[in-house]
Amino acid sequence: MNYNKKTVKDVDVKGKKVLLRCDFNVPMAKDGSGVITDDKRIRAALPTIQYLLDQGAAVIACSHMGKPEPSFEKWAKKQAEKGKDPASLTKEKWEKSLEALCMEPVAKRLGELLGRDVVLASDVVGPDAQAKAAALQSGEIMLLQNTRFEKGETKNDPELAKAMADLAGSDGVYVSDAFGAVHRAHASTAGVAAYLPAVSGFLIQKELDFIGGALANPKRPLVAILGGAKVSSKIGVINNLLEIADTIIIGGGMSYTFAKAQGGTVGDSLLESDWLDYCNEMIAKAGEKGVKLLLPVDTVIADKFAPDADSKVVPNGQIPDGWQGLDIGPETVKLYCGAVKDAGTVIWNGPMGVFEFEKFAVGTKAVAEALSETDAITIIGGGDSAAAVQQLGYAEKMTHISTGGGASLEFMEGKELPGVACLLDK
Ligand code: ADP
Ligand code: MG
């Protein structure tokens, strides 16, 4: 995939309407009060929005929020499958479920952050959106309703994509800044690019520069630290990085499948028996390619999966029954932290242990600290890894923390991202 894409700086938007795809899929309070519990994603979109407004564009912003079901029949069917009483599945309830995913709170918060009015359309491409888009002036911003209220959004329906593009008019421009959604080929993330000149905003540009740069042309040595829960969810990442990295470090829950594959005992640790052969193949492949593969040498085990579990350190692959590995051990910490010291680039995906429990966050914290101290370019991908680095207080010290969980994983897997591929090449 070509990562060298045109950005907002490469097009003239003055006096034009810009359809801007943002990632405003923010977490909302569960009580239906419409309170946004974390507005980080809205804040992250501000630089691109402000730039476009300053350049004299009229900005038609859009985003999806949550997973609304736009068809009442399908909604009722899904609820019934979840065991809900069919008699209780009324149209009113369905409408309520949609209401909870309306963009009003986002429009309000965005307006507060920008210090200006944000006009909200009551539909996505309907009469209200059309009228408001037509009336929108240079330097003004409006927001469309939740793009997933349209059935055609997730199906990448060309008719919907064209209707969205039409809102920006014949000399309109499409700007994508929703990195969290670029791995999906939806009408608003990819389809519209067939009808408007398409460029990236600053957020996507940064992701392409750092992750794309590290994959395509890394400052060496490139060290990849891979952890997290499961081998099966990281196969694509391991495969791709084996082709690129100089060193691969394995930690977290998936390291126990590697330990078992090498003949160790892992007690009650996370284990994916179907992937034992794969682990051995990867170890062999690393050897053939001259990639240094580091596995834990010791591990912290617990007598239960709980924050207050009893714990002790044992050598890797020597976990007794009734115990489970929840963190890398102190010798492993030394080994791994040493390996990042002289790195040119470090890509990290997947915590080294159950960092959500303070007692088992030690390994993850030590690696985060080591990354904060190296001169290497440090890149964090993956939703939980980003959360871990933030929670442990090292976010400011990293070169780049990806804003897209699933998207950053697919990026590291070397997959083509439809929301990036559709943008104009530089
Ligand atoms: P990311 O979202 O960054 O890609 P993952 O989703 O793969 O990361 O993994 C994160 C989860 O892995 C965390 O919730 C963490 O608690 C869990 N985890 C890490 N190590 C272990 C372990 N030894 N046992 C069980 N779960 C683990
Ligand atoms: Mg995750």
Side-chain angles (χ1 to χ4, degrees):
M1 191 172 73
N2 181 2
Y3 308 132
N4 203 8
K5 296 292 182 179
K6 282 196 178 169
T7 80
V8 278
K9 296 230 162 144
D10 299 313
V11 285
D12 180 15
V13 295
K14 191 175 164 55
K16 293 183 183 169
K17 292 199 169 105
V18 169
L19 180 70
L20 173 67
R21 178 53 156 98
C22 301
D23 180 5
F24 290 150
N25 184 25
V26 289
M28 306 283 287
K30 296 271 182 287
D31 60 3
S33 56
V35 172
I36 296 170
T37 53
D38 184 354
D39 66 359
K40 192 168 66 214
R41 287 182 171 165
I42 304 178
R43 288 176 187 275
L46 296 177
T48 300
I49 294 174
Q50 198 61 61
Y51 175 82
L52 290 169
L53 294 172
D54 290 348
Q55 292 295 305
V59 176
I60 305 166
C62 67
S63 172
H64 80 280
M65 166 127 71
K67 290 184 176 153
E69 177 43 69
S71 141
F72 169 66
E73 285 72 29
K74 278 201 185 145
W75 173 83
K77 198 168 155 238
K78 279 187 195 160
Q79 295 296 313
E81 279 165 9
K82 280 188 201 160
K84 297 267 163 68
D85 173 15
S88 73
L89 301 173
T90 59
K91 271 226 152 93
E92 289 71 45
K93 271 217 177 129
W94 167 65
E95 277 162 8
K96 265 230 151 104
S97 78
L98 295 183
E99 230 167 76
L101 297 172
C102 278
M103 300 304 280
E104 272 82 1
V106 173
K108 187 163 163 273
R109 186 73 192 119
L110 180 59
E112 287 165 5
L113 291 168
L114 284 170
R116 66 165 73 223
D117 281 343
V118 175
V119 180
L120 179 67
S122 62
D123 46 27
V124 182
V125 289
D128 193 52
Q130 287 178 18
K132 284 176 174 155
L136 199 70
Q137 301 294 313
S138 262
E140 292 180 349
I141 175 164
M142 67 178 283
L143 178 63
L144 304 178
Q145 251 317 330
N146 188 341
T147 53
R148 287 197 190 165
F149 285 176
E150 288 288 336
K151 285 192 190 89
E153 164 72 336
T154 55
K155 298 190 180 102
N156 195 6
D157 173 25
E159 242 171 73
L160 175 63
K162 169 110 182 18
M164 282 183 183
D166 283 347
L167 295 174
S170 55
D171 66 346
V173 174
Y174 170 65
V175 177
S176 178
D177 218 16
F179 183 72
V182 289
H183 56 314
R184 306 191 182 106
H186 289 176
S188 72
T189 59
V192 288
Y195 307 99
L196 293 173
V199 301
S200 76
F202 298 128
L203 273 180
I204 289 193
Q205 187 198 356
K206 191 167 176 252
E207 301 277 357
L208 295 182
D209 283 354
F210 284 107
I211 304 184
L215 296 176
N217 188 19
K219 186 164 172 242
R220 292 193 182 272
L222 170 61
V223 178
I225 307 175
L226 303 175
K230 293 182 168 177
V231 180
S232 57
S233 68
K234 297 295 160 75
I235 294 164
V237 180
I238 301 175
N239 282 346
N240 191 41
L241 288 173
L242 257 178
E243 302 293 330
I244 306 172
D246 300 292
T247 301
I248 292 189
I249 291 174
I250 303 278
M254 70 172 170
S255 69
Y256 305 101
T257 302
F258 276 89
K260 177 88 183 177
Q262 296 218 290
T265 56
V266 297
D268 299 338
S269 306
L270 254 187
L271 175 67
E272 289 180 286
S273 308
D274 289 347
W275 293 95
L276 295 170
D277 289 344
Y278 171 83
C279 290
N280 283 328
E281 280 162 30
M282 285 306 107
I283 293 170
K285 196 169 168 194
E288 284 159 25
K289 290 193 165 294
V291 175
K292 206 187 220 179
L293 184 77
L294 298 181
L295 294 167
V297 290
D298 58 354
T299 183
V300 179
I301 58 174
D303 62 349
K304 58 182 177 192
F305 187 84
D308 61 346
D310 266 342
S311 69
K312 57 184 177 186
V313 177
V314 296
N316 198 48
Q318 296 183 30
I319 304 178
D321 284 345
W323 292 76
Q324 53 188 299
L326 295 187
D327 197 5
I328 52 174
E331 288 305 316
T332 308
V333 164
K334 269 188 223 156
L335 177 71
Y336 289 5
C337 292
V340 302
K341 245 192 200 125
D342 302 316
T345 308
V346 184
I347 297 182
W348 183 13
N349 169 250
M352 295 291 100
V354 182
F355 72 94
E356 294 91 337
F357 301 159
E358 206 184 339
K359 197 168 179 179
F360 304 104
V362 177
T364 303
K365 189 159 195 252
V367 168
E369 190 171 311
L371 257 58
S372 75
E373 287 166 355
T374 94
D375 295 328
I377 296 166
T378 49
I379 296 169
I380 317 297
D384 292 294
S385 309
V389 168
Q390 245 130 23
Q391 184 190 312
L392 297 170
Y394 292 96
E396 300 306 315
K397 297 276 177 61
M398 302 302 165
T399 312
H400 178 64
I401 299 179
S402 179
T403 54
S408 66
L409 274 188
E410 292 198 17
F411 203 165
M412 290 184 284
E413 288 173 8
K415 279 197 190 151
E416 177 166 290
L417 303 168
V420 172
C422 72
L423 305 176
L424 294 171
D425 290 334
K426 240 192 188 159

